[in-house]
Amino acid sequence: QFPLGRRLPCDIYWHGVSFHDNNIFSGQVNKFPGMTETVRKITLSRAMKTMQDLFPGEFNFYPQSWILPEELSVFVEEVRTRKDSDPSWKPTFIVKPDGGCQGDGIYLIKDPGDIRLTGSIPSRPAVVQEYLRQPLLVDELKFDIRLYVLLKSLEPLEIYIAKEGLCRFCTEPYQEPTVKNLHQVFMHLTNYSLNIHSGNFIHSDSVNTGSKRTFSSILCRLSSKGADVKRLWSDIISLVIKTVIALTPELKVYYQSDIPAGKPGPTCFQILGFDILLMQDLTPMLLEVNANPSMRIEHEKELSPGVFQTVPSPVDEEVKVAVIRDTLRLVDPQKKKRKDSHLSFHTYLLIFPAQLQSLHAGIAGMKDKQHKHHSLKLSLKLCQSLEQAREASEEPPATPRSPEAALPSPCLKQVFPKYATQFSHLLLVDRVASLFIRFLGVRGTTKLGPTGFRTFIRNCRLSNSNFSMAAADILYIDITRRWNSMAIEKESGSPGMCLQAFMEAFFCLAEKKYKSPKLHEKVSLLTQLCESRLAALHRKRLVWGCG
Ligand code: ADP
């Protein structure tokens, strides 16, 4: 700890709340820039909506949501239409203020007309969500699962999930929502911070009783009743990977603005808290993602009325200590150094063939003889180094005894890139975000200016007789104005087109250009087209540069 300020560079920086230090030029930081903003209720809902539009059916683990106030009329209309077509439909909705936590300001409603518009909504935007009425109950109580997920790296994407998690229980027996019980928070909300104040909260030293238990103890119980626990885990892994993929485009925009590529800066990792609700049929549903999950391993105990003492919480300790220990293990700079000394030649082997290929293609197209000769010599040198690296890598390095041998077996399990192939089609949004980032121009921004958007249209050759540059300008102005009027924070109301607005414009262009019935096919075709035109332009510029 550096209470008086930090003087020396560190290997690992462990920040309490968020990435906030612009004076870090090396090492690893435990927070990503922009993570807090990215997982806020509204931003998460928007990211999920984009994915639900692109990949219908693949993101139904997130409850149907509307953003208030901007989608209030859509919400009212959709509910009315559905009620008209199905009079037996008696839904309940949960209203959650944006940026809130620990159940703060949350309430349940039966009818859109019950949204508390006075005062709070205009100043405090919120998400209204379909209330999941049939959660799995244990001992008649509703509970949710807090799972810890380590985002070890954004580029390349590396995700780990903790095998153990926490189950947080309500303290009143659950009943499906009725007008009479809507206000009973101890029955409907699983937040520890709320239920701790109920007289029924049970602190237990055992992991399988009380108001906070380990996830494995619940799994054990389910498995003894014949539930397919393996399937449940695979559904949870899929939920986590898909959610992180939905969040990465926004994160990459923040990342490049705070840590520009090619300049000295730290790398980032972050422990996230995923809140998941299990349905009666064991389908996991995502409630929210926490950028700053509590890592406390003690709780307050009331010894006598009004007298509190902080005491260790064995359940928290069992789960959280392992998560932090494994995170440090994975980002251990010493481990990286040891690994690098073994792997450097493998790195050569992977990189050189790719470089040679493009180099050879470039040389073949060269007109200037002297240049061609020089480039061929360089290519030969690369081949020689490749050969030497190959020989050297065949000699196995001496393996020093790993200091990890003494540690308990890891609780963090890698799920990405391990299962990457099943999810690679979802990275389409990432590719659209890469196009956006490419045209941001001046580093340090997160919004695209009108010139950047025009350059994007021009360089990708998207304007034609049906879509003039003037039409592109109008598209930019229309979409940007609308998104900026919906901005949540003051600073995000700064001029320019944010990523979500760019996505909307991109989808709009894809709809105009292609006739295919599926949105993701159109977006995929347009992405390919833009990528290939930009690559051609890049090659052309290289040749001009060489000439
Ligand atoms: P907060 O950040 O304030 O904790 P959450 O989104 O986690 O907000 O919601 C608080 C609690 O409300 C959750 O722990 C869960 O018990 C309950 N909850 C939230 N969303 C839903 C939903 N869609 N259906 C049923 N219960 C929900």
Side-chain angles (χ1 to χ4, degrees):
Q1 295 191 348
F2 291 92
L4 303 175
R6 179 168 43 76
R7 292 196 177 80
L8 293 173
C10 306
D11 290 321
I12 298 175
Y13 298 84
W14 199 276
H15 286 185
V17 181
S18 59
F19 181 93
H20 59 266
D21 193 338
N22 291 328
N23 293 321
I24 301 178
F25 301 106
S26 63
Q28 302 181 73
V29 186
N30 73 328
K31 303 281 176 198
F32 279 92
M35 182 65 91
T36 313
E37 292 80 356
T38 306
V39 300
R40 280 174 79 116
K41 292 182 172 62
I42 286 188
T43 337
L44 175 70
S45 291
R46 279 194 184 131
M48 287 301 189
K49 178 81 173 49
T50 304
M51 296 307 264
Q52 283 167 340
D53 287 348
L54 272 178
F55 305 102
E58 288 213 54
F59 281 78
N60 43 16
F61 58 82
Y62 189 69
Q64 193 178 8
S65 307
W66 298 264
I67 292 160
L68 300 177
E70 71 197 50
E71 290 178 341
L72 181 60
S73 51
V74 183
F75 169 57
V76 173
E77 191 50 34
E78 281 185 19
V79 173
R80 198 183 55 79
T81 316
R82 183 142 174 224
K83 273 187 175 168
D84 286 349
S85 66
D86 177 7
S88 67
W89 187 54
K90 300 264 181 285
T92 304
F93 302 97
I94 182 164
V95 185
K96 313 196 236 182
D98 186 56
C101 60
Q102 305 190 327
D104 171 36
I106 293 183
Y107 60 96
L108 306 189
I109 53 169
K110 279 279 181 193
D111 189 86
D114 298 336
I115 287 179
R116 296 175 201 161
L117 279 169
T118 40
S120 65
I121 291 292
S123 55
R124 205 172 176 193
V127 167
V128 58
Q129 206 167 62
E130 153 204 7
Y131 184 74
L132 305 164
R133 292 182 312 150
Q134 297 192 314
L136 178 75
L137 305 181
V138 166
D139 299 337
E140 294 178 50
L141 299 169
K142 175 176 172 178
F143 67 95
D144 76 351
I145 311 163
R146 158 60 57 86
L147 270 189
Y148 295 93
V149 170
L150 171 68
L151 179 56
K152 185 169 173 278
S153 146
L154 200 53
E155 194 99 76
L157 188 58
E158 276 184 70
I159 311 169
Y160 289 75
I161 302 185
K163 287 189 231 162
E164 185 60 289
L166 288 170
C167 290
R168 291 135 349 149
F169 280 72
C170 277
T171 40
E172 290 282 344
Y174 183 77
Q175 284 166 13
E176 285 209 20
T178 59
V179 178
K180 278 197 176 147
N181 71 29
L182 281 187
H183 313 288
Q184 299 197 26
V185 287
F186 299 146
M187 175 187 288
H188 293 293
L189 307 188
T190 49
N191 299 77
Y192 166 78
S193 51
L194 293 174
N195 284 281
I196 185 96
H197 299 296
S198 142
N200 296 338
F201 193 94
I202 303 168
H203 287 291
S204 166
D205 284 351
S206 152
V207 293
N208 56 8
T209 57
S211 300
K212 212 187 240 187
R213 311 183 194 177
T214 58
F215 183 37
S216 61
S217 77
I218 301 295
L219 287 178
C220 239
R221 216 166 146 147
L222 291 175
S223 149
S224 70
K225 289 184 179 156
D228 188 349
V229 168
K230 237 178 157 178
R231 164 90 197 268
L232 171 58
W233 255 121
S234 109
D235 289 346
I236 288 179
I237 291 172
S238 161
L239 174 154
V240 168
I241 294 177
K242 287 177 176 178
T243 305
V244 175
I245 288 180
L247 297 174
T248 50
E250 194 88 30
L251 278 177
K252 284 187 179 172
V253 172
Y254 280 108
Y255 200 92
Q256 60 78 40
S257 101
D258 265 321
I259 311 173
K263 291 216 174 121
T267 52
C268 302
F269 61 94
Q270 189 153 354
I271 298 172
L272 301 169
F274 273 63
D275 292 349
I276 294 169
L277 195 65
L278 273 192
M279 299 294 97
Q280 276 168 16
D281 63 359
L282 294 192
T283 310
M285 297 290 287
L286 178 71
L287 295 179
E288 75 157 351
V289 180
N290 281 277
N292 202 15
S294 160
M295 284 296 169
R296 283 193 69 169
I297 52 169
E298 76 275 314
H299 64 84
E300 305 229 306
K301 195 172 184 177
E302 194 167 14
L303 296 178
S304 54
V307 182
F308 290 91
Q309 193 192 12
T310 304
V311 293
S313 161
V315 185
D316 286 288
E317 201 167 322
E318 170 152 348
V319 177
K320 296 175 184 175
V321 169
V323 171
I324 299 216
R325 183 194 61 224
D326 277 9
T327 300
L328 289 174
R329 222 160 157 183
L330 283 165
V331 300
D332 171 12
Q334 294 307 319
K335 181 174 158 188
K336 193 165 177 294
K337 276 179 206 154
R338 285 193 301 272
K339 215 169 152 193
D340 282 353
S341 65
H342 296 175
L343 286 187
S344 53
F345 290 120
H346 294 292
T347 318
Y348 268 108
L349 291 177
L350 286 173
I351 292 170
F352 274 178
Q355 283 184 342
L356 276 177
Q357 234 178 21
S358 58
L359 190 67
H360 283 151
I363 294 169
M366 280 180 184
K367 296 221 164 64
D368 181 326
K369 267 192 177 163
Q370 207 183 344
H371 207 99
K372 201 164 178 170
H373 178 72
H374 177 77
S375 306
L376 275 170
K377 259 172 77 181
L378 180 70
S379 152
L380 262 176
K381 259 194 169 163
L382 280 174
C383 284
Q384 279 166 1
S385 320
L386 177 62
E387 217 30 62
Q388 282 164 5
R390 208 171 261 153
E391 279 164 20
S393 72
E394 273 153 19
E395 293 165 24
T399 35
R401 207 184 105 74
S402 160
E404 288 193 31
L407 288 170
S409 68
C411 85
L412 285 177
K413 171 187 155 80
Q414 195 205 68
V415 293
F416 201 97
K418 190 170 176 200
Y419 304 121
T421 42
Q422 284 160 256
F423 301 94
S424 53
H425 62 292
L426 304 177
L427 294 171
L428 180 59
V429 279
D430 225 57
R431 287 163 60 200
V432 179
S434 298
L435 292 171
F436 173 77
I437 290 171
R438 216 170 151 144
F439 289 95
L440 277 178
V442 188
R443 299 285 185 184
T445 60
T446 54
K447 288 190 170 181
L448 191 63
T451 316
F453 189 72
R454 280 189 133 237
T455 316
F456 155 70
I457 299 284
R458 199 177 316 112
N459 288 5
C460 296
R461 306 212 313 271
L462 297 182
S463 66
N464 51 35
S465 52
N466 287 331
F467 184 69
S468 63
M469 277 317 270
D473 288 341
I474 292 171
L475 182 72
Y476 175 87
I477 293 167
D478 276 356
I479 293 186
T480 304
R481 191 177 290 155
R482 196 158 42 74
W483 276 88
N484 284 344
S485 71
M486 297 180 322
I488 318 163
E489 301 275 85
K490 221 174 161 204
E491 63 267 28
S492 56
S494 61
M497 181 182 244
C498 64
L499 173 69
Q500 293 294 332
F502 179 78
M503 289 268 184
E504 186 183 324
F506 197 86
F507 290 6
C508 199
L509 292 169
E511 298 269 15
K512 270 195 212 307
K513 203 165 178 66
Y514 299 104
K515 295 280 160 288
S516 151
K518 292 187 177 139
L519 178 65
H520 83 262
E521 282 171 4
K522 295 182 221 187
V523 173
S524 172
L525 285 170
L526 185 62
T527 311
Q528 263 169 33
L529 181 81
C530 292
E531 286 170 346
S532 69
R533 289 194 169 159
L534 291 174
L537 188 67
H538 183 66
R539 278 197 300 275
K540 219 166 163 185
R541 283 185 178 158
L542 275 183
V543 172
W544 289 342
C546 287

